[in-house]
Amino acid sequence: MEVDMSILETLQPSRFLSFAIPNPDPTLNPSLASPLIRIAVLDSPIQPSSPLIPSVAAMIVPKHRESDWIFTTESGHLQLLLSSPNIQRLILIGQEQQPIINGSSSSCIYRRWIDPDSLNNLEISLKPLVIALSPKIYFRNVNLEVPFLCYEDNIVCSLVLEKCIGNFVGEMLVEDVEIEVSDQSREFRRRLRFKRMPNLVQTEIRIVPNKVSCLDSVDIGSNSIEFSPDLGLLVHVYLVPMVASLALIGSCIEKHVESGLRPKALCLGVGGGALVGFLKTQLDFEVVGVEVDEEVLRVARKYFGLEDGDLVQVHVGDGMEFMDRLAHGDVVGNIVPQFDVIMVDLDSDDPRNGVSAPPIEFFRRDVLLAARSVLRESGIFVINVIPRSRSYYEKLIHEFREVFPELYEINVGNVENFVLIAAKALPCSSSSSDSENKFLTKLRLAISGAYMDSINRIGDASN
């Protein structure tokens, strides 16, 4: 496409412009070896606080990740911008590549490639292009340098297994990745990502190679290697503290088990099913899961080890509506609405506000009252929270205090996530020690005791 360069003279908040041009030198560097290179220009939606010279930066897309939604979509660019403070214009440069056909496997395997000398030469060769795409006011002080940012994550190599489209979540993909670990071991994961929030991993599980005696011989993408899901380990950073919240009601669950009752969980937002599978296989829970998109469940069953059965029921629908139906006595299958825990793992679907969770609808009093009514008297309501701001989090806490007398939180420790726990009553006490409580012992073994001693009380509500 022809681009009128004059339009780039000024910043236009949230502008997203993408176009291809002939590669000035395809032989210079293997990162940009195609005859065409694709340029994307994104101006930040956040207006600078003062009319100073705008900050501009460029980034070279890693080879074989050119079709990754992180680098090809407006929402992906927006997240890159939001993670680069004070940058008002970001210029992405990568080789042009045909997109993966829907539903097919990718034959293109990404492998991390780092050659500092070649990268430096490439940046020098692209300097005139980057200058041409920058507002001229940026060079008012005869500054002809535009910094190149380096995209870094923990992926050593990756392979897309399938792309598909859900009626609700839209385009999604499943990929196998090898991630970088601190020691000399190797770690393989399977991930589910949605195009609407490409920088957010919706589900991540560990996968293990079948019938392999030495990991040195394992290669993602090899036709001779098959991987199986490991449902006995939670690797998503916030899932372990969500499960650790069960320590609050461990004594109550133990009493129910002793009386012949199996503990029950309602999971709103199934995704790939990592949490559902863990509660069933490691803690002997009966689990009801609710997922809004049937295609997500198909993917979960095919790639992530989700299995329906006597102890796992999965329903397609809106989680809040499902909970409301149970609260008003509607018969849904053979479900008895007396849950020990409700776990919510749902994010907002609006990328303009960045990654946030839960959806703002969970502030509504009717939703909280429905949750309270389907819990046992000793039950807890557990939510993964990624607050947009401190005020957002405080508002959420205020609304919960209006319905639940006891609130607790776990700081996940990654800056982003908090686990908010709402209880109908004070945790029940037990005459036995924790070492005699079989459920707490099982819980401690399942999550290696992580976060069980990090549950902090944050306030009462007067009903």
Side-chain angles (χ1 to χ4, degrees):
M1 63 175 283
E2 250 185 62
V3 179
D4 180 3
M5 301 297 286
S6 66
I7 67 174
L8 299 176
E9 289 293 323
T10 57
L11 293 173
Q12 180 180 318
S14 299
R15 171 166 48 201
F16 176 73
L17 182 65
S18 179
F19 55 93
I21 63 173
N23 191 338
D25 190 352
T27 64
L28 182 64
N29 191 289
S31 288
L32 295 174
S34 66
L36 292 176
I37 59 175
R38 176 151 291 278
I39 310 296
V41 178
L42 184 69
D43 289 347
S44 173
I46 302 173
Q47 294 271 20
S49 56
S50 60
L52 299 177
I53 297 173
S55 297
V56 181
M59 181 183 293
I60 297 172
V61 177
K63 186 180 181 182
H64 290 160
R65 292 187 73 173
E66 298 86 2
S67 62
D68 193 313
W69 292 327
I70 293 174
F71 305 107
T72 60
T73 64
E74 184 175 357
S75 56
H77 281 221
L78 179 59
Q79 291 304 305
L80 288 174
L81 258 178
L82 293 176
S83 64
S84 306
N86 303 319
I87 298 297
Q88 275 86 53
R89 173 169 293 174
L90 180 64
I91 303 167
L92 285 183
I93 306 171
Q95 68 179 15
E96 180 80 331
Q97 181 167 309
Q98 293 297 319
I100 301 167
I101 298 173
N102 181 46
S104 69
S105 293
S106 168
S107 59
C108 187
I109 300 173
Y110 162 72
R111 299 186 191 284
R112 183 188 291 173
W113 177 85
I114 300 176
D115 183 340
D117 291 336
S118 295
L119 195 57
N120 184 59
N121 290 337
L122 180 60
E123 291 177 2
I124 292 172
S125 72
L126 292 171
K127 180 178 176 180
L129 173 63
V130 172
I131 289 175
L133 295 171
S134 302
K136 293 302 175 282
I137 190 176
Y138 180 74
F139 308 107
R140 187 173 63 183
N141 296 328
V142 199
N143 169 34
L144 294 180
E145 295 298 325
V146 176
F148 277 79
L149 305 180
C150 180
Y151 181 79
E152 295 181 350
D153 58 17
N154 63 350
I155 296 179
V156 176
C157 66
S158 64
L159 173 68
V160 174
L161 303 180
E162 183 179 336
K163 277 189 174 182
C164 53
I165 301 175
N167 289 332
F168 182 82
V169 305
E171 292 185 64
M172 68 188 99
L173 66 79
V174 180
E175 61 185 353
D176 282 352
V177 302
E178 179 178 355
I179 65 168
E180 189 174 43
V181 289
S182 56
D183 55 23
Q184 297 300 311
S185 62
R186 300 182 69 188
E187 183 78 7
F188 302 95
R189 304 279 177 85
R190 183 162 291 164
R191 291 174 168 179
L192 173 66
R193 291 195 289 131
F194 297 162
K195 185 176 182 179
R196 71 185 187 197
M197 296 291 284
N199 307 63
L200 178 66
V201 178
Q202 299 288 336
T203 297
E204 182 171 16
I205 62 170
R206 173 192 273 180
I207 51 175
V208 292
N210 298 334
K211 302 177 182 178
V212 172
S213 57
C214 178
L215 287 180
D216 291 342
S217 63
V218 176
D219 190 17
I220 282 182
S222 170
N223 293 330
S224 61
I225 302 292
E226 291 185 357
F227 291 90
S228 296
D230 179 2
L231 302 181
L233 181 71
L234 294 172
V235 298
H236 229 146
V237 64
Y238 60 85
L239 291 184
V240 171
M242 287 185 75
V243 172
S245 67
L246 294 170
L248 275 176
I249 56 171
S251 297
C252 302
I253 290 178
E254 179 68 7
K255 290 177 182 178
H256 296 153
V257 172
E258 288 175 350
S259 66
L261 297 175
R262 187 182 294 273
K264 293 178 61 176
L266 173 62
C267 294
L268 304 184
V270 174
L275 181 59
V276 170
F278 188 86
L279 290 173
K280 174 201 167 188
T281 60
Q282 304 304 304
L283 298 175
D284 296 321
F285 265 73
E286 179 183 341
V287 187
V288 176
V290 185
E291 171 59 49
V292 72
D293 200 309
E294 192 165 9
E295 183 68 0
V296 171
L297 293 179
R298 180 195 68 81
V299 166
R301 294 182 180 106
K302 181 176 180 180
Y303 294 104
F304 292 88
L306 178 65
E307 294 182 351
D308 304 68
D310 293 339
L311 297 182
V312 175
Q313 295 184 49
V314 180
H315 297 261
V316 178
D318 179 271
M320 289 178 285
E321 292 179 3
F322 186 90
M323 195 164 55
D324 186 68
R325 290 172 59 195
L326 291 178
H328 286 87
D330 290 359
V331 178
V332 183
N334 59 350
I335 298 172
V336 177
Q338 287 289 299
F339 295 99
D340 295 282
V341 62
I342 300 170
M343 293 191 173
V344 178
D345 183 14
L346 297 168
D347 61 82
S348 169
D349 59 2
D350 186 355
R352 293 172 297 177
N353 295 315
V355 178
S356 64
I360 198 169
E361 290 79 7
F362 270 89
F363 290 167
R364 295 201 324 249
R365 183 178 178 84
D366 63 305
V367 173
L368 301 180
L369 288 172
R372 177 173 175 144
S373 71
V374 300
L375 286 168
R376 298 185 193 273
E377 283 306 308
S378 58
I380 55 176
F381 188 25
V382 181
I383 298 184
N384 170 44
V385 181
I386 307 176
R388 299 172 185 172
S389 62
R390 184 65 196 179
S391 60
Y392 179 98
Y393 189 47
E394 290 173 353
K395 176 176 173 58
L396 184 62
I397 290 174
H398 173 76
E399 297 298 333
F400 269 69
R401 279 179 171 155
E402 295 296 313
V403 176
F404 288 91
E406 293 291 319
L407 288 183
Y408 303 82
E409 71 174 354
I410 300 176
N411 187 339
V412 176
N414 66 342
V415 181
E416 294 181 343
N417 297 77
F418 294 86
V419 172
L420 183 61
I421 309 158
K424 294 177 69 172
L426 283 168
C428 54
S429 58
S430 172
S431 57
S432 61
S433 66
D434 285 358
S435 61
E436 296 172 331
N437 185 311
K438 293 180 181 178
F439 175 78
L440 284 176
T441 300
K442 184 185 297 182
L443 176 62
R444 193 170 292 277
L445 287 173
I447 59 175
S448 301
Y451 297 98
M452 290 178 64
D453 300 320
S454 302
I455 305 173
N456 299 309
R457 192 174 183 215
I458 58 176
D460 297 322
S462 55
N463 290 348

